[in-house]
């Protein structure tokens, strides 16, 4: 086997979800692509890894010290939405319905994986609350055991700021979900948090 | 969204089977990888695309003009196995049971996709047969409509070399396949090509 092909395949296999066969398929596809396109792919990978930064204010990925959301004058600085990771921030941004700012924790508390509160950007969040500008913190993290642990830790920590309202996003039946296939815990929560319609 | 992240995602999405979400997941994983590993990934992609060559003798991918298989003195030059693409050659090599040489067509005849015989390395194969060294050509291409068309074209073309035996790999029930789930055409061929066991 060609050493160049062998190299590119074993490098691609370092990526999650890419096995031998997929690596080979990607490599063979690159041969059919324009040389320039392949170079710009390679270039964009290196630049992204080396040049991207974390926003000093919210820990979002950014090209500068402060991310576009934090530096946008039109965003409502009195509301902070706390998310686990950058992908979650993007999902919320995609709705176009949220106009506050964010705070990216960079993970959840997981004793099994050796991730404690000090590994997350919780102090940075507390610093922002010290300014007294924030009125509400919306905690939008997953309902896994680790997520619930993190939620518990955060709410405790936020007791130091009694004037700040702390909320979590609603749990319930998703749009398009069929009740028949929804798990019991979700249905239980959806029942408990029922809303009056008339 | 960070422009660097946007760039790497849209470049990754040029690859087959990689959508928006996968591109994002790969990019986020790169952030956790060593910078050096990410650079060697990017580097291996560019070198592969620009430096890999096609073997002048069999059209296999190679680092040099002649691939390691064609330049291996121990391979039996009297048998040529004709395959559609490099991946097929690798699958056969992985069995460790084939000691002849190969010929990579680089595709199959497909009028729908505008691929005619002249787009494949068929002349190169015919040139090799002219030396008179070859005793058998094993055609190992897929049983799709295009594959069958290519097989038909090749066998016709090889009539010019009456001393060369032309064979195709056996079609039948794969090891581990359950008869219940095998398609009718395969079963029909497996019945027709039955072998005496005593």
């Amino acid at each position: 086997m060609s050493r160049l092909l062998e190299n590119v395949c074993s490098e691609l296999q370092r990526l999650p979800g890419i096995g031998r066969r997929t690596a080979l398929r990607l490599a063979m596809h690159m041969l059919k692509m324009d040389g320039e396109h392949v170079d710009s792919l390679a270039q964009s990978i290196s630049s992204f890894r080396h040049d991207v930064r974390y926003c000093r204010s919210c820990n979002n990925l950014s090209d500068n010290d402060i991310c576009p959301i934090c530096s946008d004058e039109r965003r409502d600085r009195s509301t902070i939405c706390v998310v686990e990771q950058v992908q979650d921030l993007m999902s919320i941004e995609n709705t176009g319905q949220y106009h506050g700012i964010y705070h990216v924790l960079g993970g959840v508390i997981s004793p099994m994986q050796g991730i404690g509160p000090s590994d997350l950007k919780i102090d940075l969040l507390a610093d922002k609350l010290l300014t007294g500008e924030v009125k509400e913190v919306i905690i939008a993290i997953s309902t896994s055991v680790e997520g619930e642990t993190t939620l518990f830790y955060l709410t405790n920590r936020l007791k130091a700021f009694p004037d700040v309202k702390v909320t979590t996003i609603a749990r319930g039946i998703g749009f398009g979900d069929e009740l028949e296939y929804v798990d019991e815990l979700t249905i239980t929560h959806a029942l408990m948090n029922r809303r009056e319609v008339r």
Side-chain angles (χ1 to χ4, degrees), chain A residues 112-127:
Chain A
M112 293 285 283
Q113 290 179 51
I115 303 171
S118 60
D119 297 312
L120 307 178
K121 298 285 176 186
I122 296 175
D123 290 338
L124 191 62
L125 174 63
D127 289 350

Side-chain angles (χ1 to χ4, degrees), chain A residues 25-154:
Chain A
R25 191 162 49 91
L26 294 179
M28 296 308 293
H29 186 264
M30 286 171 193
L31 281 188
K32 290 184 198 142
M33 286 167 69
D34 269 6
E36 281 176 30
H37 283 163
V38 175
D39 285 341
S40 66
L41 165 65
Q43 182 53 46
S44 71
I45 288 174
S46 272
S47 333
F48 172 65
R49 176 63 182 80
H50 294 288
D51 301 338
V52 86
R53 298 188 232 175
Y54 293 94
C55 173
R56 279 197 201 169
S57 173
C58 76
N59 195 37
N60 182 15
L61 285 185
S62 176
D63 298 333
N64 310 304
D65 282 348
I66 300 293
C67 79
I69 295 173
C70 286
S71 54
D72 185 343
E73 292 293 331
R74 290 161 303 176
R75 306 293 296 221
D76 170 15
R77 265 147 238 282
S78 70
T79 311
I80 298 182
C81 181
V82 177
V83 292
E84 192 178 323
Q85 52 181 0
V86 175
Q87 291 97 308
D88 302 334
L89 179 157
M90 286 175 185
S91 294
I92 297 176
E93 274 302 280
N94 286 343
T95 67
Q97 299 298 313
Y98 179 69
H99 307 293
I101 54 173
Y102 293 92
H103 191 81
V104 181
L105 291 178
V108 278
I109 297 169
S110 170
M112 293 285 283
Q113 290 179 51
I115 303 171
S118 60
D119 297 312
L120 307 178
K121 298 285 176 186
I122 296 175
D123 290 338
L124 191 62
L125 174 63
D127 289 350
K128 268 195 288 196
L129 298 182
L130 284 174
T131 64
E133 202 184 359
V134 180
K135 293 200 178 70
E136 180 175 357
V137 171
I138 304 171
I139 304 177
I141 52 185
S142 56
T143 47
S144 61
V145 176
E146 291 83 1
E148 293 290 326
T149 308
T150 312
L151 175 63
F152 183 76
Y153 180 88
L154 275 178

Side-chain angles (χ1 to χ4, degrees), chain A residues 161-184:
Chain A
F161 306 95
D163 297 337
V164 176
K165 187 158 104 181
V166 179
T167 57
T168 65
I169 50 171
R171 308 297 175 186
I173 316 293
F175 281 87
D177 280 4
E178 297 197 50
L179 216 55
E180 182 179 355
Y181 301 112
V182 173
D183 65 289
E184 290 83 357

